[in-house]
Structure formats: C-alpha cells, structure tokens
Amino acid sequence: MLTIHNLHRSFGTLPVLRGIDLTLNEAEIICLLGPSGCGKTTLLRIIAGLETADVGDVRIDGVSIKDTPVHERGFGLMFQDFALFPHLDVADNVAFGLKMRHVAANEQQRRVAEALERVNLSGFDKRSIATLSGGERQRVALARSLAPQPRLLMLDEPLGSLDAALRDELIVDLRAIIKNAGLTTLYVTHDQRESFAIADRIAVMNAGKIEQIDTPTVIYQKPATEFVARFLGLQNIVPVIEYANDKASTPLGVLPAPTLTGSLLLHPDGLRLVKPGESELTVEVEESIFQGSSYRVRVRHASGTRLTLSVSAATGAWATVGTSAALQIDPSAVTTLGDAANLPNKNGQS
Amino acid sequence: MGRNGHSLIAVAWRVLRLAPIAFLAVFFVYPVLTIFGISLAPEGQLDLSGFARLVTSDYYVNTLLFTIWQAAISTILTLGLALPSAYVFSRFQFRGKALFLSLATLPFVLPTIVVAAAFSALIGPRGYVNAFLVTTFGLDAPPIQLERTLLLILIVHVFYNYAVALRIITTYWMNQNPRIEQAARVLGAHGWRLWWYVHLPLLRPAITAAGVLVFIFCFTSFGVVLLLGGPRYATLEVEIFRQARDLFNLPVAAALSIVQIGLMFAMMWVYTRLQRRISSEIVAAEASAQRPKTQRDRITITVTLAFMAVMLFTPLVALALVSVTLGFDGISFQHYQQLGSNPRGSVLFVPPLSAVGNSVAFAASSTALSIILGVVSSYLLLRNNRWSRLLDAAFMLPLATSAVTLGFGFIVALDQPPLNLRQSALLIPVAHTLVAMPFVIRSILPALRAIPENLREAASVLGASPWRRWRWVELPLISRALLVGATYAFVISLGEFGASLFIARPDTPTLPIAIFRLLGQPGGSSYGQALALSTILLLVSAVAFILIERLRTPGARGEF
C-alpha cells in the first residue's frame, strides 16, 4: 500500500536518513524501532509531509505523494505529547479532522461518538482537555487520529510520556483498537517491549538505515546484525577467529555456524548453566542478581569472554559468586550476525 | 509549495508582510528624516545655525538642564517611595496583595490630561481640598497654591511612575533567596546596616533598571509639564512644541528633536540591556513571602496600603466628585449636560461631546490598524533570526521617539507633496497606531510563541489548509491576547495627547484636546465641563484597564 523508495535526508551536513526502502501492506502494523537520533521520527515526518526528503519517493498504491501538501494526504498522526487543541473540548478535538474534511454535521457526531467508544471514552464529549489524565489524553489523541479513517495511521512514541505501568496496559488496548479499525499503521518507538507487543513487523533502524525488517519473533530469535542484537539487550556476542566447513572457532571453542560471519550471538534462552564437569565449557560465576522468578547470572570464561544468562530461581541457588560452573550451548541458540565488517579469513590463515 | 490551493494565500501573505515595514518607513522614518533635514539644512544646504542657537543660548541649555534635573528628582522620589512598598510586597503575604499590585498600575493607562485634571480637581485652586479648607476655616483665598509649581509636577510624576518601580523591584526581590537576609541577620546585620549592606546591593540591578525607566518617562514628560507647569517650566518636549507650534521656529524645534531622539535612544539602549540582565536572573524561587507576625509588621502593611490608596485614588475620586459638585450645593450633572452644547462657539468650534465621537472613531480606526499590523508584525517576529530581531527593535523606535516628535514629524513631512495628508482624517489614527503598536505586539507575540509547533502540525495532518489552520487553531489560541492588544490600542488612542496636539484639526478635536482647550478657558463652566469630560475618559480607561488585567495571560505581562 505504502512504498518508500531510497529516501535520503540530511540536516546541514549531518545525514539523518541514508537510503530507506520500506513497504507497508494493507492493514499491517509496522513498527520503526531504534535509538533516539536514528532517524525514525524524521522518516515518519517525511511520510506525513511535515518534512521533505532530499532524495527518494513516497508512494501510495504506486502514486507519488511527494508534492501533496500535508493537509491533503489524508493521514493520521498521533504525536508523542498528543498535541491536543487546548481551546477545544474532547468532542471538538475528535471532530476536528472531520470538520476540515467537510463531513456533514450529523455524520461528524456519529463518527465522533464511534471513535470515542472505540477508545472507551464515551461520555467524555464535553470534558475540557485540561481536566483529563495522561492516559485519557492519549486516548483522545488516538480517537482524533482514528475518526477521519485515515489511509495511514502514524504514531510517534504515543506512550512515551506515560509511566511504565500505564504503558504496559495501554499497548495491548492500542493494538486491539487499531486492528479493529483495520488501519495500515506505522508506529515509532525506541522501546523494544512496546514494539514486540504492537507490531506485525518491526523495522530496526540505526544511523539512518533499516538494519532488519521482520516479525517480532524472528527479530528476537535471529537478529541480523550485532547492532540489532545489542539493541534488543542480547549481549552474548563472541568474535569468530577462523571459519571453515560450517564451523567457527571462537574464544569459547568451535561452534556451529551455517554461514561465514564475523561474530556469533549466543542467545541466552539456549544457554544452560550446569555443575562443573557436566560440560567441557568451564566458567566462573562472576555476578548473580536475584530477579524474583530467576537469577540473572554473569559468567566468565577462561578466555576472558563474559556471557549473561538466566537461571531459574528454583534450581539456580547454588550458582553463587565465585563458584565454578559449566555451560551447555544449544546449537539453535547460535546465530550468525551478518555484519560485513571484520570477516575472518575463510581458510583460517588469520 | 506553489500549488494552486494556497498560492492565493501565499501571495496575500507576501504582500501583507511588507505592510508593517512600509508603514514604519512612510510614517516614522520619513518624518524623522524630514526633521533631520530641517534642522541640518533648512534651505537645502548644510546650515547648522539651528544647533548653534541651541548651544549658544542659555535658554536652551537651561531647558535641557531643567529636563534632566526634574527627571532626576522625580526618579529619586519615586524610588524612595517605591522601595519600602516593594519590601512590604515581596516580604509579606496578605489579603488583597495581588489586587493592590495590579491596581497600582492603573495610572499607566490613564491619559495625561485626565491625571492633570484629577490633580487640579484635588489640590488646584478650585479643587476639593482648597474648597474644603476655605469653607471650613472661612479663608479668603485657597491656602494651597501648587498650581504652576515644580512640586506639583514632581507629585504627578511620582503618581505615574510609582507602580512601574514597585513592580520591577518587587518581582526581582521576590526571586531573591530569602536565606541571604536570614544569614545577614544571623551575622549581626540589623536596621539601616541591613539595608545598606544587604538589601540595596542585592537589589541594585532592579533599582537601576527601574530608575532608568522612570527617568526616561519623566525626561519625556510632556502633558504633565505643559498642563501643570505653566509658562515657567519647559522640558525639551514642551520646548519642541512651543517652538514649532507657537513660534513656528522649525529649525530650532527640529534641532531640539534631534537632541531628544539621540538622548532617548541612548537611554533606551541602556534600559534594554539592564532589563535583559534582570529578567535573565529571575529564577523560580520558593515563595518567600510570609504572613505578618508582629504588630509592627501589620502596621507597616497597613501604612503602605493606605499610602497607596491615598496617592492613587484620591485624585481620581476628587475628579469625579468635583465634576458633579463644582458650583453647586449638592450633586448635579449640569456640567455633563452642557457638554452637548456649544454656547461660546469660538472655544471649540464644536460641542465638547462631539469630541467623544471623534475620539471613539479615531480609537476604533487605530485599533483596527494596529491589530492588523500588530498581528502581521508578530508573525514576522516569531521567526527568531537576525532579521526579526532588527525588526523588533524597529517597531520599538516610535515608543522611544516621543509622541511630540512624532506629531512634529507629521506636520513637517506629511503636509506637502509627495504626501499631503494634512487634511486627511487618517493622520491621527496613523500616529496613534505608531504609539500603540509596541504594546499590541508585546501582547500578541508571547501568545503566539506559546503555541507549540506540533499543534499546527496536528491541524495540518488532520486536513486543515494553512488558512483553516490559522482560523481554527491559531486565532482561537491568540484571541485573548488580541483582545488585550486591541484594548491597549483603543485606550492609548483615546488618551494620546502629545502627537494629537500637533495634528488634530480644529474642527475635529479628540477628547484630550477638547479637555485641554476647556482647561485653558476662563470660567467655572468650562472648568466643570473639562472635569466632566475627564471623568468620562477616566471611566473608559478604567474599564479598559480592568479588561486588560483580567484577560492578560499569566506570565505574559510585559514591562516597558
């Protein structure tokens, strides 16, 4: 439905977007995930028409909208701080987009009521914006974006200004509401948990480029690059010294690796801490933090490599700091990271 | 961008945004340059005889010295009275504090002519106090003879500027850390030593800024000196007026204007720098005002408030009172009824009441003009670049150039080709707009700045074209500020005296001009009518003042 083709944008000499290609399918929720400054908000604003691209094109059903002014694009955008109109009450805020599109008055009323019902704010019509709580404002902003039934809904960190507990609760509602309305959606966030909860597909952005685009499961299980892995909090990355015959030799020993790579990710879910002797890979427990149902344990290998894993609270009490232990690595936990840089010599003549 | 949909608006805006600059160029820069021309080269070539007369004549040098001297004394008196009051307002929390602080600024919107009439009604020879003393003690002549004395000028200057100083110093003081005083007390500072070594040095930036501003106001005092000083006293402003209007000595008037403009710009420059410094030092401090604890505190507060009430309101009450009692045993509205007739014929050419109609018409046009130009200017100033900062300064220039100089510039520049507007009814609204514009801009700009950019963006994304976005989002959000600006423009135009005195045509006097002429006429009836007209003007100004105070966005009050 929406295609973005080779988008570039610089602010002065600083490149913010460096060749973005992205396609959104009808009724799909795509999440742009990345650290602040990666260009995700700029990308959103270019699609909305609030900024212009230096190079590249944005198309809707194959038609370029590059020269369409913001107000004629028929998109919805929800701002991080909601940008509700302080001089209008709840109903008039929600009706604003309808009024601008010359929707008849009775139709306006019907759709405002419908949008407010969708976000569970029926009866708030005449309330002033100043009297609303943060969560209520968020929902008014959502209703305002939904009411005109935009071709594309964009949300820029819509939960960013709310506290964590409220966020967890709202994100689930948010996905249900958007799916119910059947809207094609672009969701911007820097919070991976939010993106996992809301997205059909996630596009992880770094320094003006999309590093990987895939479903949340694949992104988490098989991060494509070291950046994606580290951004998702997956820290167990070991360098590859030699590579031959689908085997990579690393400081931890030889590990399976289906393709030539510079580094491997050891997914914590596939690492098991066992008593010394139960595995050849001997380590020492360096840190153990009790987290309720589990311990977060950091171990150190003789080569100096450090790995982090989770140990069940029921069975892991023995692994105190300073204890010797061993590691079992499930072959499925080993993921090759596709960074082009630092590839080892294929013949092992490093 | 150049799409059909908004090309019309884009073109309209491109034309409209030139309007304020064109307005300033034609009605400010051109007249001022004409004044320069007259003083430097009255006959076409360089001729400095005008200036030569200024420096060689004791009379002009003395005028300048008197201007400086009276401004200095007025400033010292004002600061001396405002400082103890500022102490009370910044230290104590008491009922009616906000109300008093806001009421104290009432004189700021009162026309000079009304204040002059009010003081005349209070302590003039036919005033309330003298009448009371004469009847009570059976005297032959009014015992208080202040008319045409320097003392009266000084009193009125204090009346006008007390609140200006009070506000600046109080705001600054409230933002000082109260523990500094506590520390000084613990270290043994007490009484006058506390003031001399702690309070005064701490407050020096605010006191200096307030002092410079009050000095500027008194330095340019025109109406007060002209009306209350009589022929013996003349500030530069008054002298410019006399030379130009009474003696038709244009080169000397022009030379005086240039001296005045130069001094004013220098002082405004100093003030702007000081003001920037004290406003940058203001940080949100914890509320340090406390409820009064001792009997002495309570007495201090009561005395301060009583002083303010007496100083600010007795002249105004006396004005209203004398306007309905002068020449009668009880209350009568006869002076008001006479406003509709013109028995003498020669004094005003028209019945005094028609001046009300003229003034309202002028004020309405000035308001419309200054709101349109003010909105456009505010949008130009919204962009924070070098251009807009330059523009900001340019819009303040008419304020720094006195009204008398503006009026003088108008009659020398705009009464001959290429621009002959001498007979045009537009001249007065244009002059009033120049005076009011800085106030209008200062009202609108903060409201415009307060609109978050993403509110505009949200409107656009929701389908609002630039025009509809302005109509439905920006306009409602600045409407209160527009109303404040409009009220300022209206009341400034109603009360404007200096420029109008130069350019008002004899058959269409404004309200202040009509009052001025009536005050100059002998006889109780004219005097009574002058007071009646002044009371009307006072009431209108007071209503406007209440409107401004109630509508002003908190935190957006500009000090001038």
Side-chain angles (χ1 to χ4, degrees):
Chain A
M1 197 217 95
L2 178 84
T3 0
I4 290 153
H5 181 64
N6 192 30
L7 221 54
H8 285 263
R9 173 74 166 123
S10 302
F11 291 134
T13 55
L14 182 79
V16 179
L17 296 180
R18 303 184 297 160
I20 299 283
D21 289 288
L22 182 68
T23 302
L24 267 81
N25 301 317
E26 197 74 46
E28 184 185 30
I29 304 179
I30 285 197
C31 183
L32 294 175
L33 175 68
S36 60
C38 73
K40 56 191 192 301
T41 295
T42 306
L43 176 57
L44 195 77
R45 291 171 60 83
I46 289 175
I47 298 171
L50 296 168
E51 303 257 359
T52 49
D54 300 333
V55 179
D57 203 1
V58 178
R59 297 192 192 118
I60 287 263
D61 300 327
V63 181
S64 172
I65 54 165
K66 232 170 88 176
D67 295 325
T68 310
V70 192
H71 63 279
E72 288 171 18
R73 294 196 179 193
F75 293 169
L77 171 56
M78 193 171 145
F79 291 83
Q80 176 165 10
D81 59 0
F82 312 141
L84 294 173
F85 302 123
H87 60 294
L88 302 178
D89 63 21
V90 168
D92 285 341
N93 260 284
V94 177
F96 190 88
L98 301 167
K99 191 169 154 186
M100 291 303 124
R101 281 161 215 201
H102 304 282
V103 172
N106 53 347
E107 174 70 2
Q108 275 186 35
Q109 274 185 2
R110 194 185 65 73
R111 278 163 69 175
V112 167
E114 183 188 276
L116 286 178
E117 200 187 312
R118 266 192 205 286
V119 300
N120 208 6
L121 278 182
S122 297
F124 276 64
D125 306 53
K126 294 296 152 216
R127 289 275 291 275
S128 125
I129 297 303
T131 65
L132 301 181
S133 71
E136 286 162 353
R137 283 175 203 209
Q138 188 261 352
R139 285 184 283 158
V140 174
L142 182 62
R144 188 178 69 176
S145 310
L146 292 176
Q149 291 160 351
R151 291 193 286 180
L152 171 70
L153 175 65
M154 291 174 281
L155 304 101
D156 186 5
E157 309 249 3
L159 305 179
S161 61
L162 305 175
D163 58 66
L166 197 55
R167 232 186 283 180
D168 286 349
E169 189 187 312
L170 288 172
I171 190 80
V172 182
D173 295 346
L174 197 54
R175 183 174 161 91
I177 291 167
I178 295 172
K179 280 292 169 192
N180 238 322
L183 294 171
T184 311
T185 300
L186 202 54
Y187 187 105
V188 161
T189 182
H190 65 268
D191 183 323
Q192 44 144 328
R193 292 203 307 156
E194 231 175 280
S195 71
F196 288 161
I198 193 128
D200 295 325
R201 284 195 295 156
I202 295 174
V204 183
M205 284 186 70
N206 177 34
K209 293 188 120 159
I210 292 178
E211 294 250 338
Q212 185 178 13
I213 174 156
D214 220 315
T215 61
T217 341
V218 173
I219 295 267
Y220 184 70
Q221 301 289 340
K222 303 275 175 209
T225 64
E226 181 170 342
F227 172 81
V228 175
R230 288 198 188 279
F231 189 72
L232 297 179
L234 305 172
Q235 304 290 346
N236 302 334
I237 292 163
V238 292
V240 174
I241 303 159
E242 275 181 18
Y243 182 83
N245 304 328
D246 296 348
K247 297 255 181 273
S249 70
T250 71
L252 298 178
V254 174
L255 294 169
T259 51
L260 174 65
T261 179
S263 50
L264 294 174
L265 168 70
L266 305 181
H267 217 288
D269 299 354
L271 299 181
R272 243 159 55 81
L273 194 69
V274 291
K275 295 273 167 56
E278 287 180 40
S279 158
E280 289 168 16
L281 202 57
T282 314
V283 293
E284 188 192 307
V285 176
E286 214 177 37
E287 186 184 273
S288 175
I289 301 167
F290 182 59
Q291 292 189 312
S293 62
S294 63
Y295 291 94
R296 188 183 146 85
V297 177
R298 193 175 73 208
V299 298
R300 186 174 182 277
H301 180 250
S303 64
T305 308
R306 289 183 169 86
L307 300 171
T308 308
L309 64 152
S310 181
V311 177
S312 156
T315 59
W318 61 271
T320 52
V321 174
T323 335
S324 273
L327 267 187
Q328 281 179 351
I329 301 177
D330 186 332
S332 72
V334 182
T335 304
T336 54
L337 297 175
D339 300 72
N342 307 323
L343 283 183
N345 192 312
K346 196 171 182 180
N347 302 323
Q349 298 166 354
S350 46
Chain B
M1 288 292 146
R3 290 168 52 88
N4 297 339
H6 15 158
S7 60
L8 199 67
I9 291 171
V11 169
W13 168 243
R14 231 168 274 165
V15 174
L16 208 55
R17 73 179 173 188
L18 294 176
I21 299 154
F23 186 82
L24 270 187
V26 174
F27 295 115
F28 178 69
V29 178
Y30 173 57
V32 168
L33 288 181
T34 310
I35 293 178
F36 271 77
I38 289 176
S39 67
L40 297 172
E43 305 296 333
Q45 65 246 37
L46 190 66
D47 174 5
L48 293 176
S49 59
F51 278 104
R53 256 182 287 169
L54 290 196
V55 280
T56 50
S57 149
D58 280 349
Y59 178 74
Y60 298 118
V61 174
N62 286 339
T63 301
L64 178 62
L65 288 180
F66 171 74
T67 309
I68 295 170
W69 185 70
Q70 60 83 21
I73 304 270
S74 305
T75 306
I76 291 167
L77 282 176
T78 306
L79 289 178
L81 287 168
L83 207 53
S85 310
Y87 175 80
V88 169
F89 275 93
S90 54
R91 273 307 121 97
F92 298 119
Q93 195 59 54
F94 49 89
R95 219 172 337 146
K97 177 171 155 176
L99 180 72
F100 258 90
L101 207 51
S102 130
L103 276 179
T105 51
L106 173 64
F108 205 72
V109 299
L110 290 185
T112 331
I113 195 90
V114 169
V115 175
F119 272 91
S120 167
L122 181 68
I123 47 179
R126 282 174 289 194
Y128 187 78
V129 175
N130 273 325
F132 175 79
L133 293 176
V134 167
T135 43
T136 313
F137 299 104
L139 304 173
D140 297 333
I144 301 177
Q145 298 281 1
L146 282 175
E147 191 129 272
R148 306 191 167 181
T149 63
L150 180 61
L151 184 60
L152 185 58
I153 294 175
L154 296 180
I155 290 174
V156 177
H157 281 172
V158 170
F159 171 84
Y160 255 116
N161 295 304
Y162 167 80
V164 174
L166 176 66
R167 268 228 162 136
I168 294 177
I169 299 172
T170 304
T171 313
Y172 189 81
W173 207 340
M174 284 206 280
N175 284 288
Q176 296 295 321
N177 185 348
R179 293 206 194 84
I180 293 175
E181 186 191 331
Q182 291 161 13
R185 282 184 188 277
V186 171
L187 290 168
H190 180 68
W192 70 268
R193 295 163 68 91
L194 188 64
W195 278 86
W196 189 250
Y197 291 110
V198 182
H199 289 328
L200 290 179
L202 262 183
L203 297 176
R204 209 179 64 192
I207 294 175
T208 321
V212 171
L213 191 61
V214 172
F215 187 89
I216 290 173
F217 286 148
C218 298
F219 187 86
T220 52
S221 181
F222 171 68
V224 172
V225 179
L226 183 72
L227 293 159
L228 301 174
R232 274 171 58 207
Y233 299 105
T235 54
L236 271 185
E237 293 273 293
V238 174
E239 198 55 39
I240 294 168
F241 176 73
R242 286 190 187 143
Q243 291 294 336
R245 197 57 199 253
D246 299 344
L247 308 172
F248 216 68
N249 193 349
L250 297 189
V252 167
L256 284 169
S257 290
I258 288 171
V259 172
Q260 164 92 342
I261 291 173
L263 290 172
M264 276 296 287
F265 281 13
M267 288 188 288
M268 287 298 275
W269 184 77
V270 171
Y271 173 69
T272 318
R273 288 183 63 99
L274 286 170
Q275 210 248 355
R276 202 171 299 155
R277 214 176 79 199
I278 67 168
S279 53
S280 71
E281 280 175 26
I282 287 179
V283 285
E286 59 200 294
S288 58
Q290 295 173 344
R291 303 213 143 271
K293 282 186 222 115
T294 62
Q295 190 65 29
R296 214 178 117 190
D297 290 348
R298 275 187 284 274
I299 292 173
T300 313
I301 294 171
T302 312
V303 168
T304 305
L305 296 187
F307 164 75
M308 283 175 72
V310 167
M311 187 185 67
L312 295 170
F313 297 112
T314 47
L316 307 181
V317 172
L319 171 64
L321 213 58
V322 176
S323 79
V324 289
T325 54
L326 184 77
F328 316 110
D329 279 337
I331 287 177
S332 158
F333 286 91
Q334 202 182 320
H335 296 308
Y336 289 82
Q337 283 153 7
Q338 282 174 352
L339 291 176
S341 62
N342 186 25
R344 224 177 274 264
S346 61
V347 181
L348 279 170
F349 301 96
V350 286
L353 204 59
S354 72
V356 176
N358 296 337
S359 265
V360 168
F362 288 140
S365 340
S366 316
T367 305
L369 195 56
S370 47
I371 282 293
I372 293 169
L373 292 172
V375 169
V376 175
S377 311
S378 299
Y379 272 95
L380 291 176
L381 297 180
L382 194 57
R383 291 168 218 174
N384 203 5
N385 54 30
R386 200 146 52 105
W387 243 108
S388 70
R389 276 194 293 277
L390 207 68
L391 217 57
D392 190 26
F395 288 129
M396 298 305 280
L397 286 184
L399 200 69
T401 319
S402 66
V404 169
T405 306
L406 282 182
F408 177 48
F410 270 38
I411 59 162
V412 293
L414 304 177
D415 69 337
Q416 59 200 25
L419 255 175
N420 191 348
L421 299 172
R422 189 75 193 94
Q423 294 304 312
S424 164
L426 267 180
L427 220 46
I428 284 189
V430 164
H432 292 179
T433 299
L434 278 175
V435 180
M437 268 259 277
F439 292 87
V440 175
I441 293 174
R442 284 290 175 277
S443 307
I444 299 174
L445 197 54
L448 216 47
R449 286 223 170 98
I451 301 177
E453 186 55 32
N454 65 12
L455 233 47
R456 296 192 179 94
E457 293 178 350
S460 298
V461 172
L462 287 166
S465 62
W467 161 252
R468 285 160 70 82
R469 183 183 74 186
W470 187 78
R471 170 66 189 85
W472 296 107
V473 177
E474 298 186 39
L475 183 60
L477 289 173
I478 60 169
S479 58
R480 276 165 72 106
L482 280 181
L483 210 53
V484 171
T487 313
Y488 262 127
F490 194 84
V491 75
I492 286 171
S493 170
L494 271 191
E496 207 287 329
F497 183 62
S500 308
L501 202 52
F502 266 103
I503 54 184
R505 283 185 300 172
D507 54 336
T508 51
T510 66
L511 207 41
I513 304 300
I515 298 169
F516 175 65
R517 288 181 189 163
L518 282 169
L519 280 177
Q521 282 307 114
S525 172
S526 294
Y527 185 67
Q529 288 178 40
L531 297 190
L533 270 187
S534 299
T535 308
I536 294 173
L537 194 48
L538 167 66
L539 289 179
V540 177
S541 308
V543 169
F545 169 78
I546 293 167
L547 213 59
I548 291 172
E549 285 293 309
R550 301 206 72 174
L551 289 174
R552 200 147 42 170
T553 332
R557 49 179 91 249
E559 299 283 0
F560 285 89

